[in-house]
Amino acid sequence: MNRGSFGTESAGSDPTGTSLCTPYDTYTNSNGKSIAYYPCGLIAMSIFNDTFSLSSQSSDGTETLVDWTNNGIYYDDSDAQTFVSKDENWLRSHCYYLGSPTRNDSDFNVTGFPQSLRDFHGNPNGRYHCWQYMSAPELRVWMRTAGNPNFWKLHRIIHGSLEKGTYRMKIDLNFPVASFSGTKGFVLTNASPFGGKRDSLAIVYFVVGAMCFAITLFLLFLGLTRHKGQKPPIEYVEVKPVEQASHGSASTAAAKLGVSTKRRDSTMQSGSSEVPQRTISFPPPPDAKFASNFVSTTKYTMITFLPLNLLLQFHRFANCYFLIVAILASIPSISPVGGSTFWLPLLTVLTITALKDGLEDYGRYQSDVEENSRYTEIWEGDGFHKVTWAHVQVGSLVRVQTVDKELSPMVPADLVLLATSSLDGTCFLETMNLDGETNLKQRQSPEDSHHELTVKSGVDPQTGEALLQVRPEAVQRLQVEVTCAEPDIMLYDFNGRMKFNAVENKIPLYGGSSGGQFLQRSTKLKNTKWMLGLCVYTGKETKIQKNMSDPPNKVSNIERKLNGFILALFCFLFLLCCAGAIGAGLFLGKVDIKGAWYLMPQITSAAFNVDKAGLSGAVSFFSFLILLSMLIPISLYVSVEFVKAFIAVIISFDRLMWVEEDDMPSKARSAGLCEELGQVNYIFSDKTGTLTQNLMEFKKCSIAGVEYGRGFCEVERAIARRKGQTLPPDPEPPRGLDKGFRFVDERLLFGKWREQASSKQIELFLMSLALNHNVQVETDLMRPDAEPVFQAESPDEGAFVSAARNLDFFFCRRSMKDIVLRIKDPHGRTEEKTWTVLNTNAFDNNRKRTSVVVRAAGEDRVMLLVKGADTCVMPFVDRDGGACPYFKTTQDHLDKFSEQGLRTLVFAGRELGREEYADWNRDYMAASLLSEGREDTLRQLASYIEENHLEKGRKSVIFDSSVPHRKTLSLYGVTALEDKLQENVGDCIAQLAKAMIKIWVLTGDKLETAINIGFATALLSTEMEPLIRISQDDLAEPTGDWQSTASAAEMALFNACSAARGRRSDELKFYLKQAAEGLPAADRKMVEDLLVQTSDDAGGEEAQGQFSLAESRLKDALLRERVRNAVKRMAQQTQQPRAGGYALVIDGPCLRAAMEEDLKMDFLRASILCKAVVCCRVTPAQKAQVTLLVKDNMPGQICLAIGDGANDVSMIQAAHIGVGIRGKEGQQAVLASDYALPRFAYLERLLLIHGRWSYNRIGTMVCYFFYKNIAYALTLFWFSITNAFSAQVLYDDGYQSLYNLMFTSLPVMFFAVLDRDVEPEIVKRRPELYYTGQINQHFNMTRFWTFIFGAVCHSLLLYYVTFYCMDLNVTDDSGRSLGLWSVGTTVLTNVIITVTVIISLHTRSWTWIHAVVYLGSVAWWWFFLLVYHSLAPGWMGSYDSADTVYRVIFQLGDSLMYWLIQLVVVLLCVVPVLSYKFFREHYFPGIDDYYRRVVANPASYRDAEPDLVEWLQSGGLSAGRAQLANGAG
């Protein structure tokens, strides 16, 4: 072990200078090299039964031989200083047992013992215990055998009472040296329990004692003085935006999220209008080859699990690293340890991960088995037969039933509807499995196929409707051919044509979210007894399977930083390996080393060859790489994963985040981001359904200029509270109304509306409420007597139907084309009236309105009923000639309702002329037959009829004001719905704001509505006024002296707009040239194009079109320029601090301009200086754009997005953390989220409590993991300096294999799951405690390298203090040796105790679990030593044949030094850390340290924290703990 301490010079010299060291013998090795042996100095040759004698020398030079006798070694005063020992037979019987009785080592060179000794197996329990009867030793003689050069054995003991004098030691060799391929030697050592370094040890003890005493006094002084550290300042984290990738457009943002913006699959050829087609026939041809309907969502099979899982696991760099190390460690020539040292932990980590992955995949397998085993019916030859879903094929005729319990009511594959049990051919689907929505969707079978395949079989006694059944003879002769597109990812899109029974005219087929003939797999048939469909897509080609893609892979901030830290540690490891390799090469290159016989230079290896020192040094690099590989913790990743999984379970079972009445818990859908919850800087929130309940209450309405509805909404009450006013409670609704309908106005209720002057207008309004919707009536076919349930696609429509019902227009039922209303007459009698829905123009985000064309039964009059946003309906209302005298009043009501935070919709309509409708309907039906471009064409036709265009094929006037149109709509009325705020939303937002989190609300509401909601939710406050407003209305018609601040480009564009409006061509060109000089590139190109397009020769309609186009485009450019100037003014304004901070309100059109490439960074720099931002009238794509703008350009800032609907999915996936509200708009947001909450208010606890705890725990856990591994690994490096850089191990292989897995992993894992640095009640009262995560207080560069520095310092103390205190050759009073493995065991004991104490110092909340785990880890180490050291070598075969630590712990346990060293070394390591933490927390506390001191000693902080101290002293904390004990936490 100390090969660097000896050389030929260590033989010494005589007083005259003559060398006493001459070669004793030489021999020639196999390479022909002469090897010399030096017997003198500290090193000499010996073997167990060599003759050893000791003689005393008198003053006259006479030598007296000291004999060995059978009485043992002792000193007898009466016998002239005579020493005796056991005789040779006794020694042979008790000392010279080697190996196990079954061992057959015939090679003499292996053991280094003669056959007589190798075959002797007496006294198997007394192996190497030839000194067990000795006592009071002082000097010992140690011998090293030739066969095992690393093993030193006690050979003789010299009594401590030997008188002072001169003695000569003589050794006679009984066997020739040349017989051995190694060397033998002996060493004479001091045998005191305190070793030969008594002075050094005394100094160490004195230093430790003095330091502990001084620190104790210092800590006592600090405790008595109770110094009150100042509260650290809390402020928003300032980060300068750094421009990254461009996200200026919706398509770019979509690409960032991996979402395709194309309407078709990637199989479409660019620039080609042709889409790949497939043809499906019934009966199906025998040679048809399509995908099987068997679905497998598993990653693995029994055959591929092991190789594929290992391949995936080795994508992680750490696993690859440890695999390489394990392979290197298995090469004996370069490895200082056995390969099992690394294979065991690596295989353990791989096995645990594989088991976890296997269990997850097995769950998917069980789900697949359940789905593939469901039963349905398909037509096979002579009738319908029950088969499993897996047997359904493309071309199969499938019948789905709801009346047979043995058959699944779910659709087994993507089908084209042919017939249903309904007389009109309709059926209803629940698409919960598709999009999370529970409302029913209608599908319509083609009339030809429905009538051909069905026949009446009776009358339903409950409803009186005819019952239909399938006609088998019609199915027998059925011939169907469907041509449609190849499978794609568009969930609802489907276009095709069907050739039915050889009829030449093909029937068009189409899909959609609320109509068509396309039925997706896994949708559920409802309200329909059966349906018949032709299978077009199966298995992996179905729409739902095509859309089953994994969500974006999100990596936490800590994990991203961790990769950089690991890279730095790899560099550190590389430097250490280089240092070791250089040291080994330099040592082996010394001239003297070649004569050091005791190092056996004749036995060469790759790492030890004195003739090739450079090569051996290079090989030593890999030896050190193996030796120090524990510098990188292999178990870190799997430990962190387990901790995060436990934290996710804790979040999911938190009863304080559980809605008891709905039995709806919160759910952690992603366990990998829990620490990210504690670092959030920005929250991007939807409003409707997120901040509000999405339960619409019909609050008010305006009809014919008269406002109806009493009571106050929440926003009105919030505004009144801001003004210090109190509003009276709302009146209770009268009896006789539906439960939950709280509209109160005696002028309308109970038929009183007929007495109003505008009763005709009111009737049109109520009729429009009852007809213009997609609400379905759901009935339970298994319970015909049950009450019908209304299924609405949105809460708005449900509120409209409910209002119409309570105002005498009762929606009864609907069929494919008919809606039946029950209407009360003035006398209270009811009559049913039927309206036929001729056409439906569905809602889309561009038009923001929906319309239906209806005709009453028995009438020829055709009515167009329109409802939509005020900005998309009011501009088309006829106001000419007093047609709408109440238009201005209604607009005022709209503004008033918006200011009150109510959701407004405008209802209008007009009568269509017979020819007008016939012409439009002809185009509509033709568009319905299109296989491509159907939706765009229908959207244009909807705009054409709603806006009454004068030209066909034009876009909506909303997007192109140059489109000629007539304003012909009649205004029926306006509805105002209140979407009540969720419980405690205002308190939650206020708490998040105090936690220094900035909240941006992104909503589709009007600007005034959004502002008032902001005040009602405490997002905005009076201190923020005046608000920074950037809206299209304000910028389109600016007030005041705006010209004085306008830019030259703005003035030129304004004048150009005026010139275009006035049709002044020369003036227009002049201002266009002026404007082009100061505009950005995109607008400059547009202006230059207008210059080219504007012609002096044009006249009439052509000139009018040119000027209209120029005016429209110039208005857009003017708006962008004004937004650009507004953003620049805002940037200057926000640079000046203001007490209440700033708040920005911007609408969608202005936001679109602000997100232009040349402006978005200026917009970002200004907006991040605002405490709150409200974006209104925004689209889903803009939500994602804004989120990505902050996320990608604000490094280190964590963004959280929260929403409840499908329109929030892109925003949720764009943010670092996505939270879905389990609300009324389906489950799309939840399915795309990382965390699901039942209510927005639970976001406070999720972030401030669970998020904060998780960040603090995991940040400390990761730092500590590196600390404990580096402290362990560096002791091996310091030991290599002692042993001449030989890469010799200090620890047994078993220690290294289990250090992370068994001895040090549990304490840190329990810490990371259970530790609570501050009680949740304290965080609730002081939300600024969340600030620690935002500034990365617990996982930053400084703290990480502080832990690393501590590990380096502790490793030095752990090794060198232990090494020099023990003095490797020290023994105890029993005579047992304390050699290499004794020192290694002692050092590792100190390491384990020290790292356990360090994690306990970081533990803030102690429970009995912590005490058991922490103390148990140390106790487990000692228990392991007792068991492991009791196993005799060879007990496990060749795995542990080396005699290393056998019975070492029993020898150490009897040594006082072993226990004293633990106390000394642990105190040396721990006391400085304890002092530093105590001093820092008292004098330079963080925000969490400060409040822990307040809780610990509230009386000292009465002046600084009066309310908190009063609450603490009143027992508030104890009450909060009791609440948690009852199941909350």
Side-chain angles (χ1 to χ4, degrees), residues 7-8 36-38 590-599 601 610:
T8 55
Y37 293 93
Y38 295 83
K590 290 182 179 179
V591 176
D592 294 339
I593 200 66
K594 296 180 180 180
W597 60 269
Y598 52 88
L599 294 179
V610 296

Side-chain angles (χ1 to χ4, degrees), residues 837-896:
V837 179
L838 302 175
N839 309 90
T840 299
N841 297 311
F843 175 87
D844 64 75
N845 284 321
N846 296 320
R847 291 168 34 249
K848 295 185 179 179
R849 58 179 178 251
T850 182
S851 62
V852 293
V853 179
V854 299
R855 180 170 55 204
E859 298 182 10
D860 292 333
R861 190 175 59 155
V862 177
M863 295 290 297
L864 171 68
L865 303 179
V866 181
K867 78 172 179 210
D870 59 319
T871 56
C872 299
V873 177
M874 294 293 281
F876 307 106
V877 172
D878 183 11
R879 290 173 280 173
D880 296 337
C884 186
Y886 43 84
F887 182 89
K888 180 63 170 62
T889 307
T890 304
Q891 186 64 58
D892 293 339
H893 289 163
L894 275 169
D895 295 338
K896 178 183 177 181

Side-chain angles (χ1 to χ4, degrees), residues 926-947:
S928 301
L929 302 181
L930 294 176
S931 59
E932 288 298 322
R934 177 179 175 276
E935 292 185 4
D936 291 337
T937 306
L938 289 175
R939 191 178 298 117
Q940 286 183 357
L941 286 171
S943 298
Y944 174 83
I945 194 71
E946 292 163 353
E947 301 170 1

Side-chain angles (χ1 to χ4, degrees), residues 1099-1114:
E1101 293 184 359
E1102 183 181 357
Q1104 183 178 355
Q1106 289 181 357
F1107 283 116
S1108 297
L1109 177 63
E1111 182 182 5
S1112 175
R1113 294 184 177 180
L1114 287 171

